[in-house]
Amino acid sequence: MKKLLSAGLFVAALPLAALALQDEPASKPVTYTIDPVHSSITFHVKHMGAAFAAGRFDSLTGELVFDEGDAGGCSVDAHVDPASVSTANADRDKHLRSGDFFAVEEHPDMRFVSTSVESKGDGTYAMKGTLSYRGVEKEIACTFEKVGEATSRDRRRVLGFTTEFVVKRSDFGDVYGVAQRILGDDVHVRVDIEAGEKR
């Protein structure tokens, strides 16, 4: 009799357990801090209509929110210090920091804030957002990919992402050398991010 009673209680509890599982979220948004040491932003632009000249920024910071099960819950807020530009040439870097290009004294921060994220499957996401550069805000779109994850020494989850996109300098009032074809208008950008779970 006890066995029959126990079995009956177990069967009766099954629907309740199923409802509890349905109500429990499959995932939740988690905030991650961009690791500036293990993240990078590089770029290249056509010079004289011939070869590409390359450079990088040594300061990339910010936070992102990632939800494995709901792309709509994902977001990015990233900052680049334009004064950290480096092209392996001191004179060129000084020129790039001037008003002809990044105008770092007037505009010390380049910022990207996402406005929408949509999953495309297989760890790939379509993202739109606002890029602020030289005091101008423009919407840009890109596709980013989650490329891996790990656990840090202090047991925090670490995620890796990569994306590539093209920005037109003239959209932001950066037109030095464009008409003369000294430098191209299109800047090809690659961003690689490693971000650790925020605590």
Side-chain angles (χ1 to χ4, degrees), residues 30-35 39 59-66 73-80 109-117 127-132 137 144 161 191 193-195 198:
V30 178
T31 301
Y32 296 81
T33 301
I34 295 174
D35 180 351
S39 301
S59 175
L60 171 60
T61 58
E63 292 185 347
L64 61 92
V65 176
F66 188 68
C74 299
S75 64
V76 178
D77 186 353
H79 297 261
V80 173
D109 180 44
M110 288 193 292
R111 184 182 185 187
F112 175 81
V113 179
S114 64
T115 54
S116 67
V117 179
M127 179 168 61
K128 293 181 180 179
T130 301
L131 176 64
S132 303
E137 294 185 351
F144 74 89
F161 301 93
V191 183
I193 287 177
E194 182 174 303
K198 185 177 181 180

Side-chain angles (χ1 to χ4, degrees), residues 28-113:
K28 64 177 182 178
V30 178
T31 301
Y32 296 81
T33 301
I34 295 174
D35 180 351
V37 176
H38 298 104
S39 301
S40 65
I41 176 168
T42 57
F43 63 88
H44 62 273
V45 60
K46 210 67 168 296
H47 178 247
M48 300 292 290
F52 282 98
R56 71 177 190 272
F57 295 98
D58 292 329
S59 175
L60 171 60
T61 58
E63 292 185 347
L64 61 92
V65 176
F66 188 68
D67 188 336
E68 198 86 47
D70 179 16
C74 299
S75 64
V76 178
D77 186 353
H79 297 261
V80 173
D81 179 0
S84 71
V85 65
S86 177
T87 64
N89 184 286
D91 290 337
R92 181 167 55 199
D93 294 346
K94 183 179 179 180
H95 190 195
L96 288 172
R97 295 184 185 105
S98 75
D100 286 340
F101 294 99
F102 298 124
V104 299
E105 291 188 6
E106 296 86 354
H107 307 289
D109 180 44
M110 288 193 292
R111 184 182 185 187
F112 175 81
V113 179

Side-chain angles (χ1 to χ4, degrees), residues 45-46 100-101 133-134 167-178 182-187:
V45 60
K46 210 67 168 296
D100 286 340
F101 294 99
Y133 169 46
R134 289 173 54 98
V167 174
K168 281 195 175 294
R169 296 168 52 208
S170 58
D171 285 346
F172 299 88
D174 179 358
V175 295
Y176 181 88
V178 173
I182 297 172
L183 286 175
D185 193 17
D186 290 346
V187 180

